[in-house]
Amino acid sequence: MDLIAFLAVLAALTAYVAAPLYRPAVQPTRDQERDELIRTRDGLLESLRELDRELAEGLVPADDYDTQRSDLELRAARVMRRLEAE
């Protein structure tokens, strides 16, 4: 009798754990995608402001600043283009 109860609990637990693997993936809505892009844009712009502040305080060498700023500007421009396309 204990074996049957154990197997029943094991089967229920396995079904519970495996259930998410069989559900279809939920696609984000257009509003959710736009909200994520806006959050990303805002974060990148804040990073640019912080980088400028760090340069002014002497915390970032000028050559590192140029590289980091170029990367952040490129990423921000890509996000802004995607936002404009929607």
Side-chain angles (χ1 to χ4, degrees), residues 4 8 10 18 20 31 33 35 38-39 49 51 58 64-65 74:
I4 294 173
L10 182 61
D31 288 340
E33 288 178 12
D35 290 346
I38 290 170
R39 282 191 296 276
R49 285 189 289 274
L51 184 62
D64 288 347
Y65 169 82
L74 179 63

Side-chain angles (χ1 to χ4, degrees), residues 41 43-52 65-80:
R41 179 204 61 198
L44 289 167
L45 293 176
E46 178 60 31
S47 293
L48 283 165
R49 285 189 289 274
E50 185 176 329
L51 184 62
D52 288 342
Y65 169 82
D66 292 336
T67 303
Q68 291 178 26
R69 183 157 185 89
S70 294
D71 179 59
L72 288 168
E73 287 174 341
L74 179 63
R75 291 169 50 200
R78 287 180 185 154
V79 171
M80 287 183 206

